[in-house]
Amino acid sequence: MAALYRVLSRTMPVAVRGSGLRAFSYQHIIVAKKGGQQNVGLIQLNRPKALNALCNDLMTEVNQALDSFERDAQIGAIVITGSEKAFAAGADIKEMQNRTFQDCYGGNFLAHWNVICSVKKPVIAAVNGYALGGGCELAMMCDIIYAGEKAQFGQPEILLGTIPGAGGTQRLTRAVGKSLAMEMVLTGDRISAQEAKEAGLVSKVFPVEKLVEEAVACGEKIANHSKLVVSMAKEAVNGSFELTLAEGTRLEKRLFHCTFATDDRKEGMTAFVEKRKANFTDH
């Protein structure tokens, strides 16, 4: 992975003409297309001196990159990563230190962080090193979390006299259960990558140097399916976190029915019957 990061670090943080990316000039992230078919978008958080602390400008750039990949018909999945030392060590405390209640409440502070949750394409977090506070929350906003074997997850806001403010108390509890989530939030203690996997927070753990490669491979696998149907499947799974079982199964059934209005559903079933590989067109 060190080699990958060196390559990415030499990449100009400006969208490439003709790449399908909108022409933003990025200061805090590096954006690239990965995979054999260039169908996986990669966003690397790039504030190494601050351990990728999530300042307002960085999150704005992440949202811009996500929007570019969302609009790019070639892209079927997105990977968000950091460095080998830190995915993101938290929100930028210097930016928050002197904020008042009126500033936070009146300006709906951190609201723009939730943009990632509205992205229709699957987003994979590739977490190496520290994923603490806002970094852990950012990872949990993604659809899949892969972790490097030295990753650490935590919600240490209690040590700063505050609480998680970007979904930490909610998503962590849904992922690992009340007892572990309560322990992490109330003590500020961290858990390892292996503990996170055992608790259900991450799906797979890889050697540090293989992590981004494996996350991109997962993205490629997803991107080779019908992008239209993948978005439907993502919507159905996400519905399980917000709806009752009866409401969720109704949503699932309606989305299942919707697939029968697509060319890709017909192609997929026809290819299966004819014992050949499906050729999806995202229609």
Side-chain angles (χ1 to χ4, degrees):
M1 181 184 291
L4 172 62
Y5 284 125
R6 287 195 294 270
V7 171
L8 286 174
S9 296
R10 292 195 296 267
T11 303
M12 288 296 290
V14 179
V16 179
R17 182 174 298 175
S19 68
L21 301 178
R22 296 173 66 185
F24 292 114
S25 177
Y26 299 112
Q27 302 301 317
H28 302 300
I29 63 175
I30 297 171
V31 177
K33 288 185 176 184
K34 306 300 290 184
Q37 299 180 44
Q38 299 286 285
N39 57 2
V40 178
L42 180 67
I43 300 171
Q44 183 195 3
L45 310 184
N46 188 38
R47 294 188 70 202
K49 293 182 180 179
L51 294 178
N52 292 331
L54 304 175
C55 64
N56 182 71
D57 288 345
L58 182 149
M59 291 305 298
T60 297
E61 290 184 4
V62 168
N63 289 342
Q64 290 171 340
L66 287 170
D67 181 65
S68 293
F69 285 138
E70 184 86 316
R71 294 168 181 268
D72 189 335
Q74 184 180 7
I75 296 297
I78 302 163
V79 173
I80 298 179
T81 192
S83 67
E84 292 186 1
K85 189 172 184 179
F87 176 72
D92 193 320
I93 306 304
K94 292 181 180 179
E95 278 193 348
M96 294 191 290
Q97 182 181 3
N98 296 316
R99 284 185 177 270
T100 65
F101 163 75
Q102 289 83 355
D103 292 336
C104 294
Y105 189 78
N108 201 10
F109 183 46
L110 299 185
H112 68 303
W113 285 34
N114 290 330
V115 169
I116 189 172
C117 301
S118 63
V119 174
K120 289 187 176 181
K121 296 177 181 180
V123 182
I124 303 165
V127 178
N128 264 324
Y130 303 118
L132 307 177
C136 186
E137 290 171 312
L138 177 63
M140 291 190 292
M141 290 179 196
C142 299
D143 302 302
I144 298 169
I145 304 177
Y146 278 6
E149 56 193 359
K150 296 182 181 179
Q152 296 182 39
F153 297 84
Q155 297 290 163
E157 288 87 349
I158 199 75
L159 306 178
L160 302 175
T162 187
I163 70 170
T169 63
Q170 304 303 301
R171 293 189 178 92
L172 185 62
T173 305
R174 284 165 169 78
V176 306
K178 177 182 176 181
S179 181
L180 180 55
M182 193 72 81
E183 180 183 16
M184 292 173 66
V185 169
L186 297 187
T187 66
D189 289 347
R190 307 170 187 175
I191 60 174
S192 67
Q194 193 57 44
E195 288 171 321
K197 183 179 185 299
E198 292 171 358
L201 181 59
V202 308
S203 55
K204 292 181 180 177
V205 177
F206 296 99
V208 171
E209 67 277 5
K210 291 286 188 180
L211 174 66
V212 174
E213 176 186 334
E214 293 290 349
V216 169
C218 177
E220 284 187 279
K221 185 179 294 186
I222 293 169
N224 286 330
H225 301 316
S226 165
K227 297 179 181 63
L228 183 63
V229 177
V230 163
S231 293
M232 292 182 187
K234 172 175 172 172
E235 181 181 354
V237 173
N238 281 335
S240 69
F241 289 96
E242 300 176 355
L243 305 172
T244 66
L245 179 59
E247 292 168 337
T249 53
R250 279 197 294 270
L251 171 65
E252 177 189 75
K253 196 74 69 184
R254 292 294 175 263
L255 289 168
F256 168 69
H257 292 161
C258 286
T259 67
F260 282 76
T262 70
D263 294 338
D264 283 343
R265 192 281 314 166
K266 184 175 182 179
E267 165 62 13
M269 291 189 177
T270 300
F272 177 84
V273 171
E274 296 177 354
K275 298 181 179 180
R276 60 175 175 82
K277 184 178 179 179
N279 180 27
F280 296 121
T281 59
D282 306 322
H283 290 93

